[in-house]
Protein backbone atom coordinates (compact mmCIF):
# COMPACT_ATOMS: atom_id res chain seq x y z
CA UNK A 1 0.00 0.00 0.00
CA UNK A 2 1.46 3.34 -1.08
CA UNK A 3 0.24 6.55 0.51
CA UNK A 4 0.87 10.07 -0.68
CA UNK A 5 1.21 12.59 2.14
CA UNK A 6 0.55 16.22 1.23
CA UNK A 7 1.28 19.28 3.37
CA UNK A 8 0.18 22.55 1.78
CA UNK A 9 1.26 25.98 2.96
CA UNK A 10 0.01 29.22 1.45
CA UNK A 11 2.72 29.21 -1.25
CA UNK A 12 4.29 25.78 -0.81
CA UNK A 13 3.45 22.09 -1.04
CA UNK A 14 5.51 19.34 0.57
CA UNK A 15 4.89 15.71 -0.29
CA UNK A 16 6.11 12.22 0.50
CA UNK A 17 5.15 8.93 -1.11
CA UNK A 18 5.43 6.25 1.57
CA UNK A 19 5.39 2.47 1.10
CA UNK A 20 3.41 1.27 4.10
CA UNK A 21 4.82 -2.27 3.81
CA UNK A 22 8.02 -1.07 5.48
CA UNK A 23 7.13 2.61 6.07
CA UNK A 24 9.94 3.67 3.74
CA UNK A 25 9.89 6.94 1.79
CA UNK A 26 9.82 6.17 -1.95
CA UNK A 27 10.06 9.81 -2.98
CA UNK A 28 9.62 13.20 -1.45
CA UNK A 29 9.66 16.76 -2.63
CA UNK A 30 8.71 20.37 -2.37
CA UNK A 31 6.88 22.87 -4.56
CA UNK A 32 7.96 26.41 -3.72
CA UNK A 33 6.68 29.84 -4.67
CA UNK A 34 3.22 28.66 -5.74
CA UNK A 35 1.35 31.68 -7.11
CA UNK A 36 4.56 33.73 -7.09
CA UNK A 37 7.12 34.27 -9.84
CA UNK A 38 9.97 31.72 -9.83
CA UNK A 39 7.97 28.56 -8.92
CA UNK A 40 10.09 25.45 -8.51
CA UNK A 41 9.51 21.74 -7.88
CA UNK A 42 12.30 19.76 -6.25
CA UNK A 43 11.65 16.02 -6.45
CA UNK A 44 13.83 13.53 -4.60
CA UNK A 45 13.29 9.88 -5.49
CA UNK A 46 14.90 7.52 -2.95
CA UNK A 47 18.35 6.42 -4.09
CA UNK A 48 18.27 8.57 -7.22
CA UNK A 49 19.39 12.08 -8.14
CA UNK A 50 17.30 15.14 -7.35
CA UNK A 51 15.06 16.37 -10.16
CA UNK A 52 14.24 20.07 -10.35
CA UNK A 53 11.48 21.53 -12.55
CA UNK A 54 11.22 25.30 -12.87
CA UNK A 55 7.84 26.11 -14.34
CA UNK A 56 5.06 28.55 -13.39
CA UNK A 57 2.74 27.17 -10.68
CA UNK A 58 -0.16 29.63 -10.51
CA UNK A 59 -2.01 27.53 -7.92
CA UNK A 60 -1.98 24.27 -5.91
CA UNK A 61 -3.89 22.42 -8.66
CA UNK A 62 -1.01 22.96 -11.07
CA UNK A 63 1.48 22.10 -8.34
CA UNK A 64 -0.22 18.74 -7.67
CA UNK A 65 -0.30 18.05 -11.42
CA UNK A 66 3.46 18.61 -11.56
CA UNK A 67 3.98 16.36 -8.53
CA UNK A 68 1.98 13.59 -10.23
CA UNK A 69 4.06 14.02 -13.41
CA UNK A 70 7.30 13.84 -11.42
CA UNK A 71 6.14 10.71 -9.58
CA UNK A 72 5.36 9.05 -12.95
CA UNK A 73 8.29 10.50 -14.91
CA UNK A 74 10.08 7.90 -17.08
CA UNK A 75 13.51 8.81 -15.70
CA UNK A 76 12.90 10.30 -12.24
CA UNK A 77 9.57 8.71 -11.35
CA UNK A 78 8.85 5.96 -8.83
CA UNK A 79 5.43 4.67 -9.96
CA UNK A 80 4.03 3.55 -13.31
CA UNK A 81 0.68 5.26 -12.77
CA UNK A 82 -1.54 6.72 -10.05
CA UNK A 83 -3.33 3.37 -9.55
CA UNK A 84 -0.37 2.51 -7.32
CA UNK A 85 -1.38 5.23 -4.85
CA UNK A 86 -4.03 3.89 -2.45
CA UNK A 87 -4.91 7.09 -0.63
CA UNK A 88 -3.77 10.62 0.10
CA UNK A 89 -3.21 11.95 3.61
CA UNK A 90 -3.36 15.71 4.17
CA UNK A 91 -2.05 17.76 7.05
CA UNK A 92 -4.89 20.16 7.79
CA UNK A 93 -4.20 22.91 10.29
CA UNK A 94 -7.54 23.55 11.93
CA UNK A 95 -10.60 21.39 12.48
CA UNK A 96 -12.15 23.91 14.89
CA UNK A 97 -14.33 22.51 17.67
CA UNK A 98 -15.72 19.88 15.32
CA UNK A 99 -12.92 17.43 14.57
CA UNK A 100 -10.45 15.79 16.89
CA UNK A 101 -9.94 12.52 15.01
CA UNK A 102 -8.54 12.13 11.51
CA UNK A 103 -11.28 11.58 8.97
CA UNK A 104 -11.90 10.60 5.33
CA UNK A 105 -12.73 13.81 3.47
CA UNK A 106 -16.27 14.33 2.22
CA UNK A 107 -18.35 17.47 1.59
CA UNK A 108 -18.99 17.97 5.34
CA UNK A 109 -15.29 17.84 6.13
CA UNK A 110 -14.56 20.37 3.38
CA UNK A 111 -17.29 22.63 4.76
CA UNK A 112 -15.69 22.56 8.23
CA UNK A 113 -12.23 23.28 6.79
CA UNK A 114 -13.81 26.26 5.03
CA UNK A 115 -15.64 27.39 8.17
CA UNK A 116 -12.28 27.38 9.97
CA UNK A 117 -10.59 29.78 7.49
CA UNK A 118 -10.85 32.47 10.20
CA UNK A 119 -9.01 30.29 12.70
CA UNK A 120 -6.26 29.25 10.27
CA UNK A 121 -6.19 32.03 7.68
CA UNK A 122 -2.89 31.07 6.07
CA UNK A 123 -3.13 27.30 6.18
CA UNK A 124 -6.75 26.16 5.97
CA UNK A 125 -7.39 27.71 2.51
CA UNK A 126 -4.16 26.12 1.22
CA UNK A 127 -5.05 22.77 2.82
CA UNK A 128 -8.44 22.80 1.11
CA UNK A 129 -6.85 23.68 -2.22
CA UNK A 130 -4.48 20.73 -1.78
CA UNK A 131 -7.39 18.36 -1.13
CA UNK A 132 -9.38 19.63 -4.11
CA UNK A 133 -6.31 19.44 -6.34
CA UNK A 134 -5.81 15.78 -5.35
CA UNK A 135 -9.49 15.03 -5.93
CA UNK A 136 -9.14 16.49 -9.43
CA UNK A 137 -5.86 14.69 -10.18
CA UNK A 138 -6.93 11.32 -8.73
CA UNK A 139 -10.74 11.07 -8.87
CA UNK A 140 -12.24 8.47 -6.57
CA UNK A 141 -9.18 8.04 -4.32
CA UNK A 142 -9.79 8.60 -0.62
CA UNK A 143 -8.33 11.76 0.88
CA UNK A 144 -7.83 11.83 4.65
CA UNK A 145 -7.60 14.98 6.79
CA UNK A 146 -5.21 14.76 9.75
CA UNK A 147 -5.73 17.79 11.97
CA UNK A 148 -2.84 19.68 13.51
CA UNK A 149 -5.30 20.71 16.24
CA UNK A 150 -6.58 17.14 16.70
CA UNK A 151 -4.31 16.04 19.56
CA UNK A 152 -5.13 19.11 21.66
CA UNK A 153 -8.88 18.47 21.40
CA UNK A 154 -8.60 15.91 24.22
CA UNK A 155 -7.70 18.69 26.69
CA UNK A 156 -10.23 19.13 29.50
CA UNK A 157 -12.22 22.35 29.71
CA UNK A 158 -10.11 23.72 32.55
CA UNK A 159 -7.10 23.57 30.21
CA UNK A 160 -8.68 24.87 27.03
CA UNK A 161 -10.97 27.64 28.27
CA UNK A 162 -9.61 31.18 28.33
CA UNK A 163 -10.65 33.35 31.29
CA UNK A 164 -12.56 35.77 29.07
CA UNK A 165 -16.33 36.33 28.76
CA UNK A 166 -17.94 33.01 27.85
CA UNK A 167 -19.92 34.53 24.98
CA UNK A 168 -16.74 34.64 22.87
CA UNK A 169 -16.40 30.89 23.10
CA UNK A 170 -20.04 30.48 22.14
CA UNK A 171 -19.96 33.01 19.31
CA UNK A 172 -16.48 32.54 17.85
CA UNK A 173 -15.11 29.25 19.26
CA UNK A 174 -12.32 31.14 21.00
CA UNK A 175 -10.46 28.57 23.12
CA UNK A 176 -7.06 26.98 23.32
CA UNK A 177 -6.59 24.39 20.55
CA UNK A 178 -2.88 23.62 20.46
CA UNK A 179 -0.83 22.92 17.34
CA UNK A 180 1.96 20.54 16.25
CA UNK A 181 -0.65 17.91 17.16
CA UNK A 182 0.60 15.30 14.70
CA UNK A 183 4.10 15.63 16.10
CA UNK A 184 2.97 15.44 19.75
CA UNK A 185 0.80 12.42 18.96
CA UNK A 186 3.62 10.64 17.14
CA UNK A 187 6.38 11.44 19.64
CA UNK A 188 4.33 10.66 22.75
CA UNK A 189 3.32 7.32 21.18
CA UNK A 190 6.90 6.47 20.17
CA UNK A 191 8.18 7.51 23.62
CA UNK A 192 5.76 5.09 25.29
CA UNK A 193 6.86 2.26 22.96
CA UNK A 194 10.59 3.03 23.00
CA UNK A 195 10.65 3.69 26.75
CA UNK A 196 8.68 0.54 27.52
CA UNK A 197 6.06 2.60 29.41
CA UNK A 198 2.49 1.66 30.30
CA UNK A 199 0.46 2.59 27.19
CA UNK A 200 -2.68 3.30 29.24
CA UNK A 201 -1.25 5.43 32.04
CA UNK A 202 2.16 6.79 31.08
CA UNK A 203 2.57 10.50 31.87
CA UNK A 204 4.62 11.99 29.07
CA UNK A 205 5.82 15.52 28.36
CA UNK A 206 6.87 16.19 24.76
CA UNK A 207 9.06 19.21 24.01
CA UNK A 208 8.76 19.99 20.29
CA UNK A 209 11.58 22.52 19.96
CA UNK A 210 12.05 23.79 16.42
CA UNK A 211 11.56 27.11 14.75
CA UNK A 212 8.02 26.77 16.04
CA UNK A 213 8.02 25.30 19.53
CA UNK A 214 5.47 23.79 21.88
CA UNK A 215 5.20 21.47 24.87
CA UNK A 216 2.47 18.93 25.52
CA UNK A 217 1.45 16.82 28.49
CA UNK A 218 -0.37 13.57 27.89
CA UNK A 219 -1.53 10.60 29.91
CA UNK A 220 -1.71 7.31 27.99
CA UNK A 221 -1.32 9.23 24.74
CA UNK A 222 -4.29 11.56 25.49
CA UNK A 223 -3.48 15.26 25.65
CA UNK A 224 -3.96 16.89 29.04
CA UNK A 225 -2.50 20.28 28.13
CA UNK A 226 -0.40 21.87 25.42
CA UNK A 227 1.30 25.23 25.20
CA UNK A 228 -0.06 26.75 21.97
CA UNK A 229 -3.49 28.34 22.12
CA UNK A 230 -6.08 29.78 19.76
CA UNK A 231 -3.14 30.32 17.42
CA UNK A 232 0.46 29.08 17.49
CA UNK A 233 1.54 32.35 19.13
CA UNK A 234 0.98 31.22 22.73
CA UNK A 235 3.46 29.35 24.87
CA UNK A 236 7.19 28.99 24.40
CA UNK A 237 9.61 31.55 23.03
CA UNK A 238 10.17 30.51 19.39
CA UNK A 239 12.32 31.49 16.43
CA UNK A 240 10.20 34.54 15.62
CA UNK A 241 7.15 34.23 17.94
CA UNK A 242 7.00 35.81 21.38
CA UNK A 243 5.02 33.03 23.04
CA UNK A 244 3.22 34.01 26.29
CA UNK A 245 2.97 37.75 26.78
CA UNK A 246 0.81 40.20 28.74
CA UNK A 247 -1.83 41.27 26.15
CA UNK A 248 -1.52 44.84 27.45
CA UNK A 249 1.88 44.96 25.71
CA UNK A 250 -0.03 45.00 22.41
CA UNK A 251 -2.03 48.06 23.41
CA UNK A 252 1.09 49.77 24.75
CA UNK A 253 3.08 49.29 21.52
CA UNK A 254 0.04 50.37 19.43
CA UNK A 255 -0.21 53.60 21.38
CA UNK A 256 3.50 54.36 21.51
CA UNK A 257 4.31 53.46 17.89
CA UNK A 258 1.05 54.48 16.23
CA UNK A 259 0.52 50.95 14.95
CA UNK A 260 -2.72 49.00 14.73
CA UNK A 261 -3.37 45.63 16.39
CA UNK A 262 -2.70 43.69 13.18
CA UNK A 263 0.71 45.27 12.77
CA UNK A 264 1.69 44.48 16.36
CA UNK A 265 0.43 40.90 16.07
CA UNK A 266 2.57 40.58 12.96
CA UNK A 267 5.55 41.76 15.04
CA UNK A 268 4.74 39.21 17.76
CA UNK A 269 4.49 36.44 15.17
CA UNK A 270 7.32 37.29 12.81
CA UNK A 271 9.80 39.63 14.48
CA UNK A 272 9.86 38.49 18.09
CA UNK A 273 11.09 35.29 19.75
CA UNK A 274 14.86 34.79 19.80
CA UNK A 275 15.09 36.92 16.64
CA UNK A 276 13.58 39.92 18.39
CA UNK A 277 15.16 39.33 21.79
CA UNK A 278 18.65 39.04 20.31
CA UNK A 279 18.29 42.43 18.66
CA UNK A 280 17.83 40.86 15.24
CA UNK A 281 20.71 38.35 15.17
CA UNK A 282 18.64 35.50 13.70
CA UNK A 283 15.60 33.29 14.17
CA UNK A 284 17.85 30.26 13.71
CA UNK A 285 18.98 28.71 16.98
CA UNK A 286 22.38 27.77 15.55
CA UNK A 287 23.08 31.44 14.76
CA UNK A 288 21.91 32.47 18.23
CA UNK A 289 24.23 29.92 19.83
CA UNK A 290 27.14 31.08 17.65
CA UNK A 291 26.47 34.72 18.60
CA UNK A 292 26.37 33.75 22.28
CA UNK A 293 29.76 32.02 21.92
CA UNK A 294 31.11 35.23 20.43
CA UNK A 295 30.00 37.14 23.53
CA UNK A 296 26.72 38.63 22.29
CA UNK A 297 24.83 39.32 25.53
CA UNK A 298 21.37 39.65 23.97
CA UNK A 299 21.79 36.31 22.18
CA UNK A 300 22.76 34.75 25.50
CA UNK A 301 19.68 36.19 27.21
CA UNK A 302 17.43 35.00 24.36
CA UNK A 303 18.78 31.47 24.65
CA UNK A 304 18.57 31.48 28.46
CA UNK A 305 14.98 32.75 28.30
CA UNK A 306 14.02 30.10 25.74
CA UNK A 307 15.42 27.32 27.93
CA UNK A 308 13.96 28.80 31.12
CA UNK A 309 10.48 28.91 29.64
CA UNK A 310 10.64 25.29 28.46
CA UNK A 311 11.71 24.28 31.99
CA UNK A 312 8.82 26.28 33.51
CA UNK A 313 6.32 24.52 31.24
CA UNK A 314 7.74 21.12 32.18
CA UNK A 315 7.25 22.05 35.85
CA UNK A 316 3.69 23.22 35.22
CA UNK A 317 2.79 20.10 33.25
CA UNK A 318 4.29 17.82 35.87
CA UNK A 319 1.94 19.50 38.34
CA UNK A 320 -0.98 19.19 35.91
CA UNK A 321 -0.42 15.41 35.72
CA UNK A 322 0.71 14.99 39.34
CA UNK A 323 3.95 13.45 38.08
CA UNK A 324 5.82 12.61 34.91
CA UNK A 325 7.24 9.30 33.69
CA UNK A 326 9.04 10.52 30.60
CA UNK A 327 10.17 13.71 28.90
CA UNK A 328 10.81 13.49 25.15
CA UNK A 329 12.70 16.04 23.07
CA UNK A 330 12.01 16.44 19.36
CA UNK A 331 12.25 18.76 16.30
CA UNK A 332 15.29 20.74 15.09
CA UNK A 333 16.65 21.94 18.43
CA UNK A 334 15.32 19.01 20.46
CA UNK A 335 16.83 16.41 18.13
CA UNK A 336 20.17 18.07 17.44
CA UNK A 337 21.19 20.27 20.31
CA UNK A 338 22.52 18.36 23.30
CA UNK A 339 23.48 21.59 25.10
CA UNK A 340 19.87 22.86 25.11
CA UNK A 341 18.55 19.49 26.28
CA UNK A 342 21.07 19.45 29.11
CA UNK A 343 20.39 23.08 30.06
CA UNK A 344 16.62 22.45 30.23
CA UNK A 345 17.10 19.33 32.33
CA UNK A 346 19.44 21.17 34.69
CA UNK A 347 16.29 22.90 36.05
CA UNK A 348 14.68 19.54 36.80
CA UNK A 349 16.85 18.14 39.58
CA UNK A 350 13.90 18.43 41.97
CA UNK A 351 12.09 15.84 39.85
CA UNK A 352 15.04 13.46 40.09
CA UNK A 353 15.96 14.05 36.45
CA UNK A 354 19.56 13.14 35.72
CA UNK A 355 21.12 13.37 32.25
CA UNK A 356 23.85 10.95 31.15
CA UNK A 357 26.27 13.15 29.16
CA UNK A 358 27.52 10.28 27.06
CA UNK A 359 24.01 9.10 26.21
CA UNK A 360 23.01 12.71 25.49
CA UNK A 361 25.78 12.96 22.88
CA UNK A 362 23.39 11.78 20.19
CA UNK A 363 21.29 13.28 17.41
CA UNK A 364 18.48 12.30 15.13
CA UNK A 365 17.60 8.85 16.50
CA UNK A 366 15.52 7.36 19.30
CA UNK A 367 17.61 7.35 22.48
CA UNK A 368 17.27 7.42 26.25
CA UNK A 369 19.52 10.26 27.43
CA UNK A 370 18.90 10.06 31.18
CA UNK A 371 21.07 8.04 33.55
CA UNK A 372 19.99 4.68 34.92
CA UNK A 373 19.27 6.39 38.29
CA UNK A 374 17.12 9.16 36.84
CA UNK A 375 13.58 9.13 38.32
CA UNK A 376 12.19 10.31 34.97
CA UNK A 377 13.14 8.79 31.62
CA UNK A 378 14.40 11.52 29.31
CA UNK A 379 14.43 10.65 25.64
CA UNK A 380 15.24 11.94 22.21
CA UNK A 381 12.52 10.89 19.77
CA UNK A 382 12.82 12.30 16.22
CA UNK A 383 9.44 13.46 15.02
CA UNK A 384 7.99 12.21 11.74
CA UNK A 385 4.75 14.01 10.97
CA UNK A 386 4.54 12.56 7.45
CA UNK A 387 4.71 9.01 8.75
CA UNK A 388 2.11 9.81 11.42
CA UNK A 389 -0.21 11.17 8.70
CA UNK A 390 0.44 8.13 6.50
CA UNK A 391 -0.36 5.76 9.40
CA UNK A 392 -3.62 7.58 10.10
CA UNK A 393 -4.50 7.47 6.39
CA UNK A 394 -3.79 3.73 6.23
CA UNK A 395 -5.85 3.09 9.37
CA UNK A 396 -8.87 4.89 7.91
CA UNK A 397 -8.76 3.59 4.35
CA UNK A 398 -7.45 0.03 4.52
P1 LIG B 1 12.57 22.71 12.79
O1 LIG B 1 11.60 23.85 12.79
O2 LIG B 1 12.11 21.53 13.59
O3 LIG B 1 13.05 22.34 11.42
O4 LIG B 1 13.87 23.23 13.57
C1 LIG B 1 14.66 24.26 13.05
C2 LIG B 1 15.52 24.84 14.15
O5 LIG B 1 16.38 23.83 14.68
C3 LIG B 1 16.44 25.96 13.63
O6 LIG B 1 16.34 27.09 14.47
C4 LIG B 1 17.81 25.34 13.73
O7 LIG B 1 18.79 26.28 14.02
C5 LIG B 1 17.66 24.39 14.90
N1 LIG B 1 18.75 23.42 14.90
C6 LIG B 1 19.01 22.46 14.00
N2 LIG B 1 20.18 21.83 14.34
C7 LIG B 1 20.65 22.43 15.46
C8 LIG B 1 21.80 22.24 16.29
N3 LIG B 1 22.71 21.34 16.03
N4 LIG B 1 21.94 23.08 17.34
C9 LIG B 1 21.02 24.02 17.61
N5 LIG B 1 19.93 24.23 16.88
C10 LIG B 1 19.74 23.45 15.81
Amino acid sequence: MKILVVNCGSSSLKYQLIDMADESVIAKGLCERIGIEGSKLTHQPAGKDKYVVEKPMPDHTVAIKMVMEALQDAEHGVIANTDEISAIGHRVLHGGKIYSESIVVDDDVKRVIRECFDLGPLHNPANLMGIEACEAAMPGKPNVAVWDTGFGMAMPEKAYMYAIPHEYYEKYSIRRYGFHGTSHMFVSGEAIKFGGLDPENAKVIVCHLGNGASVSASIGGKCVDTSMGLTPLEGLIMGTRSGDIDPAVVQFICNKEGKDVNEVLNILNKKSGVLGMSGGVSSDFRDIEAAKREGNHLAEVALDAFIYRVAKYIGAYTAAMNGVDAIAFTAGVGENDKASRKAICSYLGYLGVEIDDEANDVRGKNAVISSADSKVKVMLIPTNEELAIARETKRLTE
Side-chain angles (χ1 to χ4, degrees), residues 186-187 190-191 194-195 327-338 341 357-370 378-384:
F186 180 83
V187 174
E190 291 295 300
F194 187 70
I327 298 168
F329 288 98
T330 198
V333 178
E335 290 171 29
N336 295 299
D337 186 5
K338 61 180 177 183
R341 292 193 297 259
D357 287 335
E358 223 170 279
N360 188 33
D361 192 8
V362 62
R363 62 204 304 177
K365 62 171 191 177
N366 283 0
V368 173
I369 60 169
S370 48
V378 184
M379 288 180 255
L380 189 171
I381 306 281
T383 192
N384 191 338

Side-chain angles (χ1 to χ4, degrees), residues 209-212 283-286 289 331-333 336-337 363:
L209 309 178
N211 195 27
S283 63
D284 191 296
F285 280 85
R286 280 168 295 200
E289 286 180 7
V333 178
N336 295 299
D337 186 5
R363 62 204 304 177

Side-chain angles (χ1 to χ4, degrees), residues 136-369:
M138 290 169 278
K141 297 252 188 238
N143 287 273
V144 170
V146 181
W147 314 96
D148 207 43
T149 50
F151 187 72
M153 291 306 287
M155 275 190 276
E157 276 178 298
K158 64 184 173 188
Y160 74 67
M161 278 300 196
Y162 284 116
I164 59 174
H166 187 69
E167 63 182 281
Y168 299 128
Y169 174 74
E170 296 293 338
K171 283 203 276 195
Y172 311 119
S173 303
I174 295 178
R175 53 160 278 175
R176 307 185 59 255
Y177 290 94
F179 296 85
H180 292 146
T182 319
S183 177
H184 287 288
M185 173 181 75
F186 180 83
V187 174
S188 56
E190 291 295 300
I192 288 172
K193 275 192 256 164
F194 187 70
L197 306 173
D198 173 0
E200 301 296 319
N201 301 302
K203 297 171 176 173
V204 179
I205 293 176
V206 172
C207 305
H208 177 113
L209 309 178
N211 195 27
S214 60
V215 191
S216 71
S218 60
I219 301 181
K222 269 206 156 50
C223 182
V224 167
D225 209 337
T226 188
S227 60
M228 286 175 164
L230 174 73
T231 77
L233 186 53
E234 193 178 336
L236 299 180
I237 295 171
M238 311 183 207
T240 63
R241 296 189 191 114
S242 65
D244 296 334
I245 196 167
D246 179 347
V249 169
V250 176
Q251 182 196 36
F252 209 87
I253 298 175
C254 284
N255 291 343
K256 291 284 181 195
E257 298 268 317
K259 294 188 190 304
D260 67 21
V261 170
N262 293 321
E263 288 173 285
V264 177
L265 260 288
N266 196 44
I267 291 169
L268 294 183
N269 268 305
K270 300 201 173 132
K271 297 188 175 159
S272 299
V274 292
L275 169 69
M277 282 188 85
S278 64
V281 168
S282 174
S283 63
D284 191 296
F285 280 85
R286 280 168 295 200
D287 298 339
I288 297 288
E289 286 180 7
K292 175 188 161 176
R293 279 195 297 276
E294 283 159 18
N296 184 319
H297 177 66
L298 292 184
E300 182 176 356
V301 174
L303 208 54
D304 285 352
F306 165 75
I307 283 160
Y308 176 61
R309 190 163 309 169
V310 178
K312 283 206 295 186
Y313 264 95
I314 293 174
Y317 286 175
T318 303
M321 297 191 289
N322 192 15
V324 57
D325 298 311
I327 298 168
F329 288 98
T330 198
V333 178
E335 290 171 29
N336 295 299
D337 186 5
K338 61 180 177 183
S340 288
R341 292 193 297 259
K342 169 121 177 160
I344 292 163
C345 290
S346 72
Y347 281 95
L348 308 175
Y350 70 101
L351 291 175
V353 168
E354 210 180 274
I355 293 300
D356 177 328
D357 287 335
E358 223 170 279
N360 188 33
D361 192 8
V362 62
R363 62 204 304 177
K365 62 171 191 177
N366 283 0
V368 173
I369 60 169

Side-chain angles (χ1 to χ4, degrees), residues 28-43:
K28 62 180 176 182
L30 169 68
C31 301
E32 293 167 276
R33 301 180 68 83
I34 299 171
I36 311 172
E37 213 178 303
S39 315
K40 180 166 110 175
L41 163 81
T42 308
H43 175 72

